Amino acid sequence: MLIKPAYSKIDLAAPGNWQQMACGHYMMEQTAELIRAHQRRLKPGKTVAIGSLGPGLNECLKNGAQWFTVGTGSDVAVRSKLTELALKENSVDNLIAPFVLEFCRHPHQLLREATRVLDDDGVLILTGFNPYSPAVASGFLIRHKKRFPWCGRYFTPVRVKDWLELLGFEILESEFYVSNFLHHSEYRGSGWSTKLSNLIPGLRAAYFIVARKQTLINRLKPSAQRKQLSVNGRQAATAMTTKQFSKSNKQIRGKL
């Protein structure tokens, strides 16, 4: 489960909305609450949510933010593959990707597309399922087979952060959330799994990452720094040492 290659040879089914996932409404509320709590990290400007879960988050926040959603679902504003986003390069200030890596055939390409469309210093908010959580590990049971989210492919947050850093992102925030094991009878906070998750955050069902696309500044090459400047085709004056100055004076006196 933890060491599978990122690329999948077969297409993976993705949830069309939050209701298709276990405790989906609760997870949507928890995700929206975290986004609201980290809004200070967002860059002023255009925000895009990718995937079929984006429209639900936009409605859940209800804060007047002007979002538009991109994905293959029926409720999105722009229909597009997540690995080939129908967006211009450097055209987005903030990108929100809720639970998309687990159901993507080529997650590396998805993150490369996120890097391409984000502007300099743009912010990426990424959520995913925590494979260390008993909530996800229970997907090995027959009764959970081929249900969302247990039919996905899971990547540890450490692995995902490594991918982001290789793409030039700076990790601003990282935490675990969803303090239950995705049981419908427990997610209101009274169950034993919620109490255990609050005691050990690493057992929570999902992770939340905020990253910023870093701007690379082209520096002068050392060879270019050593080149002497020229003005009007003439070589620029250079500083002389005391020995060079004395030698120059002797040569001038010898000529007189």
Side-chain angles (χ1 to χ4, degrees), residues 194-251:
T194 300
K195 296 177 182 178
L196 181 60
S197 297
N198 289 333
L199 183 64
I200 308 175
L203 296 181
R204 293 175 181 175
Y207 61 83
F208 185 92
I209 296 175
V210 182
R212 179 190 292 126
K213 178 182 174 182
Q214 293 180 310
T215 304
L216 298 178
I217 301 175
N218 293 326
R219 298 181 178 181
L220 292 174
K221 296 181 180 179
S223 59
Q225 292 178 343
R226 290 194 296 265
K227 289 183 179 179
Q228 293 181 341
L229 300 177
S230 59
V231 181
N232 296 329
R234 297 182 179 181
Q235 187 175 357
T238 57
M240 299 177 65
T241 64
T242 304
K243 292 182 179 180
Q244 290 175 336
F245 182 75
S246 300
K247 184 177 180 180
S248 177
N249 283 342
K250 290 180 180 180
Q251 290 176 350

Side-chain angles (χ1 to χ4, degrees), residues 8-29:
S8 174
K9 295 181 180 180
I10 60 174
D11 290 329
L12 302 172
N17 51 57
W18 290 96
Q19 286 68 34
Q20 292 183 4
M21 292 200 302
C23 301
H25 184 72
Y26 173 73
M27 294 187 66
M28 179 181 68
E29 291 179 340

Side-chain angles (χ1 to χ4, degrees), residues 1-9 12 99-111 126-133 136 149 151-164 174 176 204-209:
M1 179 178 68
L2 302 182
I3 58 175
K4 288 183 178 180
Y7 178 76
S8 174
K9 295 181 180 180
L12 302 172
F99 302 102
V100 293
L101 294 182
E102 291 83 358
F103 311 105
C104 180
R105 183 177 181 181
H106 201 337
H108 287 168
Q109 179 59 27
L110 188 153
L111 293 179
L126 183 69
T127 67
F129 291 101
N130 175 22
Y132 294 131
S133 172
V136 176
C151 59
R153 301 165 64 247
Y154 313 114
F155 309 104
T156 65
V158 173
R159 188 177 180 184
V160 174
K161 285 189 283 187
D162 284 342
W163 294 345
L164 292 174
S174 177
F176 293 102
R204 293 175 181 175
Y207 61 83
F208 185 92
I209 296 175

Side-chain angles (χ1 to χ4, degrees), residues 249-256:
N249 283 342
K250 290 180 180 180
Q251 290 176 350
I252 295 174
R253 289 174 183 174
K255 293 179 180 179
L256 292 178

Side-chain angles (χ1 to χ4, degrees), residues 50 70 80-92 95 106-119 124 167 169 213:
I50 62 174
V70 178
S80 171
K81 293 181 179 180
L82 299 186
T83 53
E84 299 176 8
L85 293 174
L87 299 170
K88 293 182 179 180
E89 185 175 353
N90 302 328
S91 62
V92 177
L95 191 71
H106 201 337
H108 287 168
Q109 179 59 27
L110 188 153
L111 293 179
R112 282 194 287 265
E113 278 293 282
T115 307
R116 180 185 67 83
V117 302
L118 274 173
D119 197 7
L124 172 66
L167 290 170
F169 281 90
K213 178 182 174 182

